[in-house]
Amino acid sequence: MATAFVTGATGLLGRHLVEWLVKQGWTVRALHRNPSDAAKLSAIGAEPFAGNLGNPAALRKGMAGADTVFHAAALFTMWAPVEDFETTNVEGTRNMLAAAQAEHVSSFVYISAAGVVMGDGKPMTDIAEDMPLAYPSWAPYLASKARAQKLVLDANRADGMRTAVILPPLIWGTGMPMLNILIEQVTAGSFAWPAGGNQSMSTAHVDNVCACAILAAERSLGGRAYFVTDGQSQSMRAVMTALVGTKGVEIKARNAPLGIAWFMARVMEFVWRAFRRSGEPPLTRQMLRMVGYDFTVSDRRAREELGYVPVTSWAQGLAAMRAGA
């Protein structure tokens, strides 16, 4: 019976990943920071391990005897100090790799983000994994994920630990936190369609990301990154309309020309930084870069090398969200 050590297990992806692994017969250990999360992890079949990404001793304890590490924990927000992203996403991943190597873990799978290849604003369609990583200073989340990804791929060893990186675009499914934020913006009248919402985008249901990650642990030769998608691309307008529609909400919003939106994002960032305002700006260049341009990816490599096929379709995922499953 294989043993996995999972980080980020209390988030949308990590929780589903634990459930997938348990159903497939894995023994699962899950890292958690808050004592209250221990019972939640036990309830879905995981063995809780208290600690954090900055505690090497706790990481080694959780990984001892494990076959595979699934590293899904990250600081994911559109607005935070750069050093916070670097500490959690980069140095945390460095600590994870060191612990896994010390404990002779066989396979290390890192959940990165498709946006690590996004640089200056421009349409990007049907892109593959050979696209260079980007490190824009105004997108610290994406830049930190790109730096962490490089660490993971560089740690691959033919005679030691195999590493793989999973690159999902928008992860969606029942319980997605972003949906509540979007609905709040829609109901408050603060949401607008950047570039009219007609730009194409790829999506990845949480079940599809989990399936691909497990395949990577079992079949990847190592040192490889894999885009994962639902197998179809849609407009941003179609995606967001369908997602909020599962909660009975209709989007009635104005269009925001991309140039104007980009200027406003810069202004808001300046105001928030200069006056040390609390919370996140309503709009940032990082968020606008992620949704304001055509961005579609190809999962051909995952299909050919891992045998990946989507396990949950767009229609099935929406139906589950409507049912609250």
Side-chain angles (χ1 to χ4, degrees), residues 216-241:
E218 297 172 339
R219 302 182 184 182
S220 175
L221 297 178
R224 303 287 272 174
Y226 301 94
F227 284 121
V228 55
T229 78
D230 296 324
Q232 66 182 82
S233 298
Q234 303 179 75
S235 70
M236 177 197 177
R237 184 181 287 267
V239 169
M240 299 305 173
T241 298

Side-chain angles (χ1 to χ4, degrees), residues 275-308:
F275 296 97
R276 298 182 180 180
R277 298 190 63 170
S278 61
E280 296 186 13
L283 186 64
T284 65
R285 286 174 290 172
Q286 184 164 228
M287 174 55 75
L288 196 58
R289 178 62 188 90
M290 294 174 70
V291 302
Y293 300 85
D294 290 332
F295 183 73
T296 63
V297 300
S298 169
D299 60 14
R300 189 174 301 110
R301 176 184 288 180
R303 292 174 184 265
E304 293 177 352
E305 294 187 9
L306 306 179
Y308 166 75

Side-chain angles (χ1 to χ4, degrees), residues 74-75 80 195 248 314:
L75 174 60
W314 179 252

